[in-house]
Amino acid sequence: MFNSLINLFFPKVCAGCKSFIGTNEYIICTVCRHELPLTNHHLNSENEAFKKFYGRIPVEHVSALLYFHKKGMVQEIIHNLKYKGHEEIGSFLGEWYASDLKNNSIVNNVDVIIPVPLHKKRLKERGYNQVTNFGLALSENFKIPMNDSILKRKVYSKTQSKKNLLGRTEGIETVFDVAFTEEDINKHYLLIDDVLTTGATLEACSKALLKIPGAKISIVCMAMAHS
C-alpha cells in the first residue's frame, strides 16, 4: 500500500521516452525495450567493436549491448544514468547484457571486472561512478569479483561529452595508471564503460592494465556510438 501511494504521487517514468511505466514494467517501458537498437555483438566475435581496436591493443573480446545515436533513446537513457542519479539503469543494463553474454566462453574465463575509473574529484562531484552498478550486475551473474582500486585516473579533466574528437584523444595516454600486487599477475581483466566512442579512453585504460605481467584484456560497454 505504501509503494502504491508513492507511485500515485511520484509516478515512475520510462528512462527512454519519459512516459509513465506500468506495474509490470521496470526502468524502461515495454515499447522502448523493443525499440532499443541492439548491436548483437555477442553473436559475432569479430564484430565492429572488436575491430575498432585492431592494431591498437591486444584484446580477447569487445562488445556493447546497444547502439548510441545522437539525440536518440539510448543517449537519453545514458544521460539519465550519468547525470540524473538513476544508478538503477546501470543494474538494469548489466542484468540484460549478462543474459546475452552467459554463453560466451571468453567472458566466462574473466578473472576480474574493472570499471573505467573517475578521478576522485569527479567522483565527489557526481557522487557515483555510472558504470559501477553495471559492473556489479555482471559480477553477480558471472560470479566474478569487481575491483575498482587497480586502475586509477590520475588527471582530472572536463567530461568527454563536452570535448570534440581531438580533445577526447589528446593526452589520454597519461591519464591512467595501475597499482597492482603479485596476486594481480596473469589475470584476464574485463574492462567496462558506458559508451564506446573513439576507443581512446578504453585503449589508454587497457595499456595501463597491460603493465601487469601476463594481463589479458576484454571490453564490454553498455553502448557504442554509431553513425
Side-chain angles (χ1 to χ4, degrees):
M1 182 178 176
F2 181 67
N3 286 337
S4 300
L5 285 171
I6 290 176
N7 291 335
L8 178 64
F9 292 104
F10 303 98
K12 294 179 180 178
V13 297
C14 171
C17 66
K18 297 182 181 177
S19 63
F20 295 138
I21 59 175
T23 341
N24 298 321
E25 296 175 324
Y26 179 63
I27 308 297
I28 298 171
C29 72
T30 306
V31 173
C32 283
R33 176 149 185 169
H34 285 297
E35 290 181 355
L36 285 172
L38 299 171
T39 68
N40 289 316
H41 285 164
H42 65 289
L43 302 177
N44 176 17
S45 60
E46 295 276 326
N47 60 63
E48 61 198 313
F50 182 83
K51 290 177 181 176
K52 190 177 274 286
F53 295 94
Y54 276 179
R56 296 167 70 175
I57 48 167
V59 286
E60 308 297 313
H61 166 95
V62 186
S63 65
L65 173 62
L66 303 166
Y67 282 122
F68 179 102
H69 301 100
K70 284 288 186 183
K71 298 183 179 178
M73 190 188 304
V74 176
Q75 183 182 35
E76 180 69 21
I77 290 168
I78 298 295
H79 182 83
N80 282 321
L81 164 64
K82 200 168 179 177
Y83 302 111
K84 300 294 183 181
H86 292 289
E87 295 180 75
E88 68 278 7
I89 292 172
S91 304
F92 174 81
L93 295 178
E95 292 286 342
W96 185 351
Y97 211 18
S99 66
D100 285 347
L101 294 169
K102 65 182 177 183
N103 295 320
N104 186 293
S105 58
I106 294 176
V107 174
N108 277 284
N109 286 325
V110 163
D111 297 301
V112 184
I113 296 171
I114 305 283
V116 170
L118 297 180
H119 188 272
K120 58 184 179 181
K121 183 178 177 183
R122 173 76 65 214
L123 185 60
K124 187 176 180 180
E125 289 171 350
R126 188 172 296 165
Y128 61 96
N129 184 334
Q130 70 272 11
V131 297
T132 295
N133 280 6
F134 180 70
L136 289 172
L138 295 176
S139 173
E140 176 64 26
N141 278 273
F142 290 113
K143 307 304 177 191
I144 299 167
M146 187 169 80
N147 189 318
D148 59 4
S149 62
I150 293 176
L151 186 62
K152 305 288 186 183
R153 184 184 289 261
K154 301 185 297 179
V155 179
Y156 175 84
S157 58
K158 64 182 180 179
T159 59
Q160 293 287 82
S161 61
K162 295 178 181 177
K163 295 180 180 179
N164 58 26
L165 183 60
L166 179 61
R168 291 185 184 192
T169 58
E170 192 174 7
I172 195 73
E173 295 283 348
T174 62
V175 170
F176 301 97
D177 204 355
V178 287
F180 64 93
T181 67
E182 193 172 331
E183 290 183 0
D184 303 314
I185 291 172
N186 296 319
K187 295 287 178 71
H188 182 182
Y189 294 100
L190 179 62
L191 186 61
I192 59 167
D193 202 6
D194 50 8
V195 182
L196 168 59
T197 50
T198 65
T201 296
L202 288 160
E203 180 184 355
C205 287
S206 298
K207 285 179 175 177
L209 287 170
L210 287 169
K211 293 176 184 177
I212 304 172
K216 293 193 294 186
I217 308 293
S218 287
I219 296 170
V220 164
C221 297
M222 300 178 206
M224 174 180 175
H226 192 248
S227 55

